[in-house]
């Protein structure tokens, strides 16, 4: 498989070399965490001559004897070299029983620079502070962005490349397959066996069929305002015997495993968060096609999903904006930066354009406002609102 340098993640890892934190790579299964750890190892070998690297990949059977925390700790301490910069790189750490006891012990000695990856459901962002007594530095790894997709395939035409990315998504393992059906079979397998299975194991799910129905409901309703109660009402009408608390728990499990990302609503005028109804976006839009098929492509929803995930990749806090009973697709915040964004598949129709631009024009502050769409034209302005093609926006940070 062709490898590309995932520069933004690698630079984050390089930037924290020597800090006392436990560095944790999190993200959905098959998003490239293992390859990133290998790339980081290569960087160390080339650039830190005094380094001693202790690298353990629990996917390999030769490390089976280390799948108990005392054995793992002993192996690492035996491979420590005095006077060297000792790096510990561990892939799929959750395969070691009570791994946190080993990591906390190593961290307490202050003798190692520690980097770990783990299964999406067993090394959660919400669990890090509980698992590790030392400070953790989380590096969130996402499936391939469109820019990485272009870097990988080196297409001649960026607009055609975006059309292909909409269908193929960012799960790079699927790129090895030539036929689209085979790509989707791989992606569906990743979702079913590596994501839902992990969730079932971690939370001891009693009704896996219900979990699957909730997951497919969210896929079908990407970009729609959704609540546990509305899902419960829909599924109950289909004669599923459930309650909204169970649905709420399952929604949390899916988000904890990085299958979906929940985007909360924000009242722009009142400057407060709204408690009812959120939006859920897939970590990679290709899961929707792999699970539900491509009969109803619904390009607008997919483009909105792509933009949501790109904003998260770029480090923004992302909210759905509410203003005078109108909806702003995204309010993106980062330090002192704020951007209001509307997303549409096509704004050639005047009625559609007016519908998208009207809520933005009602916002009275001076922060940037933009419409992202498939215009296939150079960027332009309309009454202070930037109109930009989605392909250009994704490729130009």
């Amino acid at each position: 498989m062709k490898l590309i340098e995932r520069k933004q993640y690698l630079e984050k890892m390089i930037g924290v070399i020597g800090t006392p934190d436990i560095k944790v790579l999190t993200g959905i299964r098959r998003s490239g965490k293992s390859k990133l750890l290998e790339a980081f190892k290569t960087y160390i070998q080339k650039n830190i001559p005094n380094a001693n690297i202790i690298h353990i990949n629990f996917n390999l059977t030769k490390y089976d004897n280390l799948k108990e925390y005392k054995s793992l700790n002993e192996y690492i301490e035996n491979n420590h070299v005095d006077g060297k910069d000792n790096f510990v790189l561990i892939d799929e750490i959750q395969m070691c029983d009570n791994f946190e006891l080993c990591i906390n012990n190593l961290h307490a000695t202050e003798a190692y620079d520690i980097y770990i990856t783990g299964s999406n459901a067993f090394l959660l962002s919400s669990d890090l502070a509980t698992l590790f007594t030392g400070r953790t530095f989380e590096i969130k790894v996402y499936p391939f962005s469109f820019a990485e997709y272009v870097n990988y395939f080196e297409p001649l035409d960026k607009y055609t490349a975006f059309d292909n990315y909409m269908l193929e998504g960012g799960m790079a393992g699927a790129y090895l397959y030539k036929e689209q059906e085979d790509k989707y079979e791989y992606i569906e397998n990743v979702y079913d066996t590596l994501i839902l299975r992990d969730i079932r194991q971690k939370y001891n799910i009693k009704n896996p069929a219900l979990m699957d129905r909730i997951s497919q409901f969210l896929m079908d309703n990407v970009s729609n305002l959704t609540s546990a109660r509305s899902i419960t009402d829909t599924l109950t009408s289909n004669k599923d015997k459930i309650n909204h608390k169970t649905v709420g728990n399952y929604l949390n499990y899916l988000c904890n495993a990085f299958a979906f990302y929940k985007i909360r609503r924000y009242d722009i005028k009142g400057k407060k968060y709204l408690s009812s109804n959120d939006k859920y976006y897939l970590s990679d839009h290709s899961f929707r096609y792999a699970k539900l098929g491509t009969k109803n492509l619904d390009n607008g929803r997919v483009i909105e999903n792509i933009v949501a995930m790109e904003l998260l990749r770029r480090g923004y806090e992302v909210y759905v904006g509410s203003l005078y009973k109108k909806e702003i697709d995204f309010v993106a915040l980062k330090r002192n930066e704020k951007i209001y964004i509307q997303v549409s598949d096509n704004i050639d129709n005047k009625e559609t354009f007016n519908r998208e631009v009207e809520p933005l024009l009602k916002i009275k502050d001076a922060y940037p406002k933009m419409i992202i769409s498939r215009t296939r034209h150079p960027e332009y302005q309309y009454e202070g609102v930037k109109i930009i093609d989605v392909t250009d926006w994704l490729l130009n940070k």
Side-chain angles (χ1 to χ4, degrees):
M1 180 179 178
K2 178 181 176 181
L3 296 177
I4 66 168
E5 185 181 74
R6 306 195 76 186
K7 196 172 180 181
Q8 73 178 92
Y9 304 116
L10 195 56
E11 285 179 351
K12 271 192 176 181
M13 297 175 76
I14 293 167
V16 292
I17 288 176
T19 62
D21 309 325
I22 301 166
K23 293 81 169 179
V24 186
L25 276 65
T26 63
I28 197 166
R29 285 272 203 167
R30 299 292 169 88
S31 59
K33 299 186 295 292
S34 298
K35 295 296 183 186
L36 189 57
L37 203 62
E38 289 176 12
F40 181 62
K41 178 182 178 180
T42 301
Y43 172 87
I44 296 170
Q45 291 169 331
K46 289 181 179 178
N47 295 278
I48 304 177
N50 195 45
N52 173 50
I53 304 172
I54 305 165
H55 183 201
I56 298 159
N57 183 349
F58 277 117
N59 285 313
L60 303 178
T61 56
K62 69 177 182 177
Y63 297 112
D64 281 352
N65 62 319
L66 304 182
K67 291 182 177 178
E68 188 274 330
Y69 81 94
K70 290 182 180 177
S71 301
L72 177 61
N73 192 82
E74 183 180 1
Y75 174 86
I76 292 170
E77 289 187 341
N78 287 342
N79 282 277
H80 178 275
V81 178
D82 291 337
K84 293 271 192 179
D85 296 326
N86 288 273
F87 289 83
V88 173
L89 314 180
I90 306 178
D91 205 6
E92 297 293 351
I93 186 70
Q94 84 286 343
M95 295 175 74
C96 173
D97 292 334
N98 297 312
F99 62 85
E100 67 276 10
L101 300 177
C102 170
I103 298 301
N104 285 329
N105 178 66
L106 296 174
H107 181 262
T109 68
E110 300 182 0
Y112 304 91
D113 205 346
I114 304 169
Y115 296 77
I116 62 175
T117 82
S119 158
N120 49 291
F122 291 89
L123 201 63
L124 309 174
S125 302
S126 56
D127 289 348
L128 297 183
T130 305
L131 283 170
F132 303 119
T133 54
R135 185 178 183 275
T136 57
F137 183 88
E138 185 180 5
I139 299 168
K140 298 175 182 178
V141 181
Y142 299 92
F144 270 29
S145 66
F146 177 60
E148 289 175 316
Y149 180 89
V150 167
N151 190 6
Y152 184 93
F153 285 105
E154 300 177 345
L156 296 176
D157 179 70
K158 61 184 179 181
Y159 299 122
T160 301
F162 179 71
D163 293 344
N164 292 335
Y165 179 72
M166 284 185 66
L167 288 172
E168 296 184 3
M171 301 303 291
Y175 300 165
L176 297 174
Y177 298 91
K178 293 181 181 178
E179 299 297 326
Q180 190 64 56
E181 198 56 41
D182 294 333
K183 293 176 190 286
Y184 286 151
E185 188 173 327
Y186 166 86
I187 293 165
E188 183 177 20
N189 182 265
V190 168
Y191 194 87
D192 287 345
T193 65
L194 298 183
I195 298 169
L196 295 184
R197 184 189 65 187
D198 277 359
I199 295 172
R200 286 195 294 267
Q201 288 178 353
K202 180 174 175 68
Y203 299 105
N204 193 25
I205 299 297
K206 306 295 186 187
N207 190 345
L210 175 61
M211 167 70 75
D212 195 50
R213 281 196 287 278
I214 291 171
S215 172
Q216 291 193 27
F217 178 92
L218 292 180
M219 289 180 184
D220 200 30
N221 286 274
V222 159
S223 87
N224 279 350
L225 290 172
T226 304
S227 68
R229 195 170 292 277
S230 68
I231 295 173
T232 303
D233 291 344
T234 301
L235 296 181
T236 301
S237 68
N238 293 329
K239 300 183 180 178
D240 280 303
K241 294 183 179 179
I242 53 172
N243 61 66
H244 70 275
K245 288 184 179 179
T246 301
V247 172
N249 288 336
Y250 283 14
L251 289 175
N252 287 334
Y253 301 159
L254 287 164
C255 292
N256 285 344
F258 308 103
F260 291 87
Y261 287 80
K262 182 170 81 170
I263 305 297
R264 296 174 60 195
R265 294 172 71 216
Y266 180 76
D267 182 346
I268 295 171
K269 187 173 184 292
K271 297 183 179 179
K272 62 182 179 181
Y273 301 113
L274 301 173
S275 57
S276 63
N277 292 335
D278 305 299
K279 288 191 176 186
Y280 291 84
Y281 293 94
L282 274 163
S283 55
D284 191 77
H285 56 280
S286 65
F287 290 129
R288 186 175 196 259
Y289 292 150
K291 292 288 291 178
L292 304 183
T294 57
K295 288 182 180 178
N296 179 14
L297 290 176
D298 212 337
N299 291 329
R301 290 181 191 267
V302 172
I303 293 172
E304 190 173 320
N305 200 112
I306 291 170
V307 170
M309 293 310 303
E310 184 63 22
L311 288 168
L312 293 173
R313 274 191 199 92
R314 295 181 185 186
Y316 288 97
E317 292 179 56
V318 185
Y319 301 95
V320 177
S322 177
L323 180 68
Y324 304 120
K325 298 184 179 180
K326 297 282 187 179
E327 183 182 293
I328 309 295
D329 289 330
F330 300 118
V331 181
L333 309 173
K334 190 196 295 184
R335 300 185 186 91
N336 295 323
E337 184 181 358
K338 183 189 291 185
I339 311 170
Y340 300 105
I341 299 171
Q342 292 282 69
V343 181
S344 180
D345 176 29
N346 189 322
I347 52 173
D348 288 344
N349 179 285
K350 187 175 181 181
E351 185 179 335
T352 303
F353 178 82
N354 289 337
R355 186 182 68 240
E356 297 295 343
V357 79
E358 182 186 353
L360 294 174
L361 295 176
K362 287 185 175 180
I363 301 172
K364 301 306 178 186
D365 65 40
Y367 288 108
K369 303 164 186 68
M370 68 171 68
I371 296 175
I372 299 174
S373 181
R374 283 203 289 184
T375 67
R376 300 202 173 192
H377 294 299
E379 176 187 320
Y380 66 97
Q381 299 265 343
Y382 175 85
E383 295 189 22
V385 176
K386 181 189 295 185
I387 317 296
I388 185 168
D389 180 79
V390 62
T391 303
D392 294 331
W393 180 77
L394 290 167
L395 292 178
N396 297 297
K397 294 188 179 183

